[in-house]
Amino acid sequence: MTLVLGISAFYHDSAAALVRDGEVVAAAQEERFSRRKHDERFPAHAVEYCLREAGCTMRDVDYVGFYEKPLAKFDRLMRTYLAFAPQGYRSLRQAIPVWLATKLRIPREMDRALDARREGQYAFPEHHESHAASAFYPSPFDEAAILTLDGVGEWSTATIGVGRGRHIELTHELRFPHSLGLLYSAFTYYAGFKVNSAEYKVMGLAPYGEPRFLDRILTHLIDLREDGSFRMDMRYFNYCQGLTMTSPRFDALFDGPPRDPNAPLTQREMDLAASVQAVTDEIVLRCGRHVRGLTGMRHLAISGGVALNCVSTGKLLRAGVFDDIWVQPASGDAGGALGVALFVWHHLLGHDRQARPGDAQHGSLLGPAYTDDEIRRFLDGIGAPYTYCADPDELCGAVADRLDAGEVIGWFQGRMEFGPRALGSRSILGDARDPAMQSRINQKIKYREGFRPFAPAVLAEHCGDWFAHDRPSPYMTFVAPVSPAQLRPPSPEELGVTGLDRLAVPRSTIPAVTHVDGTARLQTVGAEANPRFRELLRAFHRRTGCPVLVNTSFNVRGEPIVCSPADAYACFLRTDMDGLALGSFLLDQRAKRAVELGVRATLEQDWGVGLDRGSGDYALSD
Ligand SMILES: [Fe+2]
């Protein structure tokens, strides 16, 4: 038996993944255990969990892969500084101590964290090799073109290549500072949102705007070529030498300073979002066409932070450039942990790879699960009243009834998801037909901005009746149009509604999951990955004729998705959620009222879960 541990750490979203004889056994992000969002520290808890899941200890691990080359990254930092010196001294002065203390000594750091000397057992592939491996190896393709797009690794910001059997070959790259991820982040920053975290808010805001800045971006900011590569005019940006993303020249080009994060959103931010999204769509499309022509491959595997832009990937899919596209669901740097582990196994150790129908990602249900016995012990321990449903059909029927009655239910089942999306294991669910559902969940349960759409989960076999999408999409990696048959034409008065007010206009028979442009980031739920979630959708469909539910991640704004029953229960107490299905246990409002005071002390003392963080905070950005 050979065990390979993959690690990504020390930048943001640290994670661990464990591969046993080529099989992905477990993968998880550190933030879920430490409860610190985007936690970048060494993923000690995630490593411990992965080993526990495999029933082994660190001594059994044969190889450890780290997802990038720290020295090459440091080289890029220093060369960039020298190119701009003496500008950039302030940012360098902030960065150097961290590099000296940790990043340059990563093998030693890892020895210490893993509690063993592991000379000769470490592998450090390049950042984009890890992304590429995470895209290709778990994909359902024997061979495929590979495209990686992100902010930056060592020097690469985008790569293209080919995966064939057990080999990956990256043949072309775009290099720092020219970067689609950093261009998108620059607009994220300029629109008053948090970089490396809120890019998806820009994507969600884009359909409210008009791309009226598109020409300005293409004329001044980037020189875009037919093959999708581009050069950025760095006079408009400040990320090489400064502590901000954009420069005064950028501000002048777009008629003013960046939005104050506390100021209200205006049409201008929506138009900026629409413009950078349009550029991103175009670059992804051109890259796709180029890599198709270059490699002749009919299939594409894609990863890197930009691949989480499911609007662009959806458009690339519908453009028909490839017969099929597989997007690594954990495309951000957390997924590098999975990628590097598979890279070591196949590429470095030379083990054959057999592509699997579907894929080898296990529906990304790669995190911890809790048994009914463990959940019962927890609930009894805090004295929470519950109803136990021995029969899963009974549980699903009861939850479906409550969803049909308009309730919002926390749904905690089986193994936690790996990647940023909840896929029916750590989810908050609601009735997609209810026009008030989107603002209700946003304001009373997740405490987040009202403009952000929710995603639908749909029974795979009914997908075509509800969405213009003709293939499985089990990971919410594509945005697709809602089927014309389900769309509802706006009335003459509604046509006059502008800006964020458009949110209140129901656009389809499933308004809670239909974005203002008539699209949805859909998850199809087939027979394989998550039987209990599928049974719930079937039960809801039998009652209502609708095979679609709102599926949003089980957390409040600014916090990681819940991991344990205690996390889920605390989130339930702190929000306006109506019910909670914890494994086979169903809880309702009585569980809140009856025990809240006593539970508060117990949760905090015995389970280390605080109840005060985040709630009631309605500010626009986090
Ligand atoms: Fe990356």
Side-chain angles (χ1 to χ4, degrees):
M1 181 181 79
T2 304
L3 281 177
V4 185
L5 179 67
I7 285 174
S8 66
F10 306 128
Y11 183 46
H12 54 84
D13 295 319
S14 71
L18 192 66
V19 167
R20 180 172 53 204
D21 292 335
E23 189 70 35
V24 184
V25 181
Q29 236 171 286
E30 183 68 4
E31 63 162 27
R32 305 289 173 88
F33 305 95
S34 69
R35 311 306 300 156
R36 186 205 276 194
K37 199 162 167 90
H38 301 304
D39 199 341
E40 81 296 345
R41 296 170 294 180
F42 184 86
H45 300 90
V47 169
E48 185 197 323
Y49 154 68
C50 286
L51 295 173
R52 193 169 63 239
E53 187 71 47
C56 58
T57 69
M58 202 55 223
R59 239 168 293 150
D60 305 315
V61 172
D62 299 282
Y63 299 95
V64 181
F66 189 75
Y67 81 130
E68 63 182 10
K69 292 185 188 301
L71 286 177
K73 212 170 179 177
F74 187 68
D75 174 60
R76 191 243 306 155
L77 190 80
M78 291 310 293
R79 282 173 196 263
T80 307
Y81 167 67
L82 290 173
F84 285 87
Q87 282 184 71
Y89 178 67
R90 268 182 64 209
S91 68
L92 189 77
R93 204 177 53 187
Q94 286 191 6
I96 287 287
V98 184
W99 277 92
L100 293 180
T102 342
K103 300 185 182 187
L104 284 177
R105 304 194 299 187
I106 281 172
R108 249 192 292 169
E109 280 292 306
M110 301 230 289
D111 281 347
R112 211 168 46 128
L114 301 173
D115 205 20
R117 223 175 121 67
R118 303 206 149 255
E119 219 171 314
Q121 290 173 294
Y122 288 129
F124 293 85
E126 289 193 4
H127 187 103
H128 277 256
E129 283 177 322
S130 295
H131 278 316
S134 78
F136 175 64
Y137 290 128
S139 81
F141 311 133
D142 290 320
E143 53 176 28
I146 297 174
L147 174 62
T148 65
L149 295 161
D150 73 355
V152 60
E154 295 85 2
W155 282 99
S156 301
T157 63
T159 65
I160 56 182
V162 168
R164 210 179 257 119
R166 64 171 188 255
H167 291 297
I168 281 176
E169 192 186 5
L170 297 179
T171 51
H172 299 71
E173 64 171 357
L174 185 67
R175 281 167 78 89
F176 184 84
H178 311 293
S179 161
L180 180 53
L182 292 174
L183 176 71
Y184 209 93
S185 292
F187 278 87
T188 302
Y189 164 82
Y190 188 68
F193 296 113
K194 204 168 170 181
V195 168
N196 275 337
S197 154
E199 279 73 6
Y200 58 93
K201 293 184 187 173
V202 174
M203 186 176 77
L205 201 56
Y208 292 96
E210 290 296 324
R212 65 185 169 96
F213 299 111
L214 182 59
D215 275 352
R216 262 182 250 186
I217 297 175
L218 291 174
T219 308
H220 298 281
L221 296 189
I222 68 168
D223 172 20
L224 177 60
R225 293 160 198 159
E226 201 47 48
D227 64 3
S229 71
F230 56 87
R231 291 189 69 77
M232 292 162 74
D233 185 338
M234 295 313 295
R235 292 174 303 172
Y236 290 94
F237 301 90
N238 197 36
Y239 56 76
C240 287
Q241 69 275 40
L243 297 170
T244 59
M245 292 300 293
T246 59
S247 74
R249 188 185 278 255
F250 187 105
D251 302 354
L253 181 64
F254 295 102
D255 316 323
R259 178 178 73 95
D260 179 331
N262 296 313
L265 282 169
T266 66
Q267 191 61 42
R268 178 164 164 264
E269 282 78 48
M270 299 172 207
D271 294 345
L272 285 163
S275 306
V276 72
Q277 184 60 43
V279 171
T280 304
D281 293 345
E282 182 62 25
I283 292 175
V284 170
L285 189 60
R286 288 190 191 193
C287 284
R289 286 199 184 114
H290 177 64
V291 71
R292 165 82 216 227
L294 194 71
T295 64
M297 291 283 166
R298 291 167 33 235
H299 297 128
L300 176 70
I302 176 168
S303 183
V306 178
L308 292 174
N309 193 311
C310 41
V311 173
S312 294
T313 54
K315 286 184 178 168
L316 180 61
L317 182 70
R318 281 193 300 287
V321 180
F322 294 93
D323 292 2
D324 207 358
I325 298 175
W326 195 80
V327 184
Q328 164 56 240
S331 266
D333 284 353
L338 180 62
V340 65
L342 291 168
F343 188 84
V344 169
W345 174 256
H346 290 297
H347 195 90
L348 300 182
L349 297 175
H351 291 287
D352 277 341
R353 164 183 177 268
Q354 210 72 51
R356 297 207 201 142
D359 58 53
Q361 181 88 5
H362 300 285
S364 285
L365 303 185
L366 297 168
Y370 297 82
T371 64
D372 275 351
D373 279 349
E374 288 171 303
I375 295 171
R376 187 194 298 274
R377 261 202 306 280
F378 164 72
L379 291 173
D380 289 346
I382 59 171
Y386 55 76
T387 307
Y388 174 65
C389 303
D391 175 7
D393 290 351
E394 183 194 333
L395 175 84
C396 292
V399 172
D401 283 339
R402 294 173 64 167
L403 290 166
D404 186 25
E407 293 194 6
V408 177
I409 306 286
W411 178 255
F412 179 104
Q413 306 288 336
R415 295 186 73 177
M416 182 178 72
E417 301 87 346
F418 180 55
R421 305 276 165 259
L423 300 170
S425 285
R426 303 289 185 274
S427 291
I428 295 172
L429 306 174
D431 186 346
R433 302 167 303 165
D434 183 345
M437 189 55 72
Q438 182 172 0
S439 58
R440 183 167 170 234
I441 300 182
N442 268 330
Q443 287 171 16
K444 296 197 163 176
I445 287 136
K446 302 206 52 152
Y447 304 120
R448 68 176 202 180
E449 304 89 335
F451 71 83
R452 287 171 54 196
F454 288 118
V458 57
L459 282 173
E461 61 273 32
H462 295 289
C463 178
D465 299 332
W466 296 80
F467 304 96
H469 188 88
D470 63 356
R471 62 194 75 203
S473 174
Y475 302 104
M476 286 188 187
T477 44
F478 300 109
V479 163
V482 173
S483 165
Q486 304 298 340
L487 288 178
R488 171 190 166 280
S491 66
E493 301 83 66
E494 287 169 346
L495 274 176
V497 178
T498 57
L500 293 180
D501 293 339
R502 290 164 69 197
L503 181 71
V505 178
R507 284 165 199 277
S508 75
T509 55
I510 40 173
V513 293
T514 306
H515 207 2
V516 292
D517 59 354
T519 64
R521 188 187 71 210
L522 82 162
Q523 175 195 8
T524 61
V525 181
E528 295 297 317
N530 194 336
R532 191 171 282 191
F533 187 42
R534 182 172 162 80
E535 182 45 44
L536 174 64
L537 279 160
R538 284 164 56 93
F540 188 75
H541 183 225
R542 278 196 297 275
R543 280 159 177 77
T544 64
C546 176
V548 183
L549 284 173
V550 173
N551 176 12
T552 186
S553 54
F554 199 148
N555 62 328
V556 295
R557 190 179 67 96
E559 284 193 8
I561 295 175
V562 300
C563 179
S564 69
D567 300 333
Y569 189 76
C571 188
F572 172 62
L573 283 190
R574 289 164 45 206
T575 63
D576 229 8
M577 220 179 286
D578 301 299
L580 173 60
L582 264 184
S584 302
F585 302 86
L586 205 47
L587 286 76
D588 58 25
Q589 291 296 315
R590 281 171 301 169
K592 285 190 187 177
R593 286 193 297 271
V595 295
E596 185 162 9
L597 289 175
V599 163
R600 174 176 286 266
T602 317
L603 274 177
E604 290 181 351
Q605 280 159 27
D606 299 348
W607 300 89
V609 173
L611 291 178
D612 291 325
R613 289 168 298 161
S615 58
D617 176 3
Y618 290 84
L620 260 176
S621 70
D622 53 22

